[in-house]
Amino acid sequence: MGYWVGRIKPIALKSKGKGKNDPGTIWLMAIHEGKIAGCVRLRYGCEAQYLKEYWGLNPAMILKNIAICDRLVVAAAFRHSRAAYMLTTEIYQVALKNITELTFMEAEEHLLPFYRKLGFEVYRKTKHAYGTRFQLFINPNDGLRLDL
């Protein structure tokens, strides 16, 4: 399925949502032939209490310009395409444009090799009612971590 390279184009949409922990959201979508292949959400300006409790960030970290990256989903028909790769690397571009110091995301254990190749580092393991997740971070200004 090499023909996906360059054909799935992530696009950014800004949300005007006022929901809890969702003040400044950017959705990235990978579209192929008019169909959504996948998407991911980046959130800026999350509440300090949420960042402390859910993400385990200390007060000094909360003062930084950080983004929370979540809800990365790829449609079943595109799971063996480059959609997830393109969405994840697009996080770098958005983070750099927004002068983001750190970006955080959560992943299941079987996805860790994928995210590590893209420069994410595990900083803690958490247990939720729905299962174990690994919390990751990346400094988008540190391109040397990329293993491409």
Side-chain angles (χ1 to χ4, degrees):
M1 292 199 169
Y3 69 93
W4 295 108
V5 179
R7 294 190 64 192
I8 297 176
K9 299 190 191 277
I11 60 170
L13 299 174
K14 290 213 177 209
S15 171
K16 295 184 180 173
K18 301 288 183 196
K20 185 177 181 186
N21 301 324
D22 207 22
T25 299
I26 298 171
W27 284 96
L28 299 174
M29 291 193 290
I31 298 174
H32 176 68
E33 295 179 358
K35 295 179 182 169
I36 297 174
C39 65
V40 65
R41 176 175 75 167
L42 278 86
R43 297 182 292 156
Y44 287 90
C46 294
E47 296 171 5
Q49 191 68 23
Y50 166 74
L51 294 172
K52 180 182 173 189
E53 290 175 5
Y54 190 87
W55 292 95
L57 303 183
N58 65 42
M61 298 293 290
I62 293 170
L63 295 176
K64 295 180 180 287
N65 185 26
I66 62 173
I68 301 297
C69 177
D70 63 358
R71 299 193 180 171
L72 190 145
V73 178
V74 175
F78 297 95
R79 295 255 164 88
H80 297 287
S81 72
R82 294 181 55 88
Y85 168 81
M86 293 184 73
L87 287 166
T88 306
T89 56
E90 188 69 13
I91 292 167
Y92 274 99
Q93 298 302 316
V94 173
L96 290 170
K97 287 178 188 172
N98 286 295
I99 312 169
T100 307
E101 295 176 66
L102 294 169
T103 301
F104 295 88
M105 77 178 339
E106 208 169 55
E108 295 176 21
E109 188 170 13
H110 72 279
L111 295 171
L112 293 180
F114 171 76
Y115 288 117
R116 282 185 174 129
K117 281 186 175 187
L118 295 173
F120 284 88
E121 290 186 49
V122 174
Y123 73 95
R124 80 179 193 161
K125 180 178 177 178
T126 59
K127 294 190 185 247
H128 302 286
Y130 50 85
T132 300
R133 297 293 184 270
F134 293 83
Q135 293 182 330
L136 317 167
F137 77 93
I138 194 164
N139 175 349
N141 299 296
D142 186 2
L144 296 177
R145 294 191 180 278
L146 289 170
D147 183 20
L148 304 174

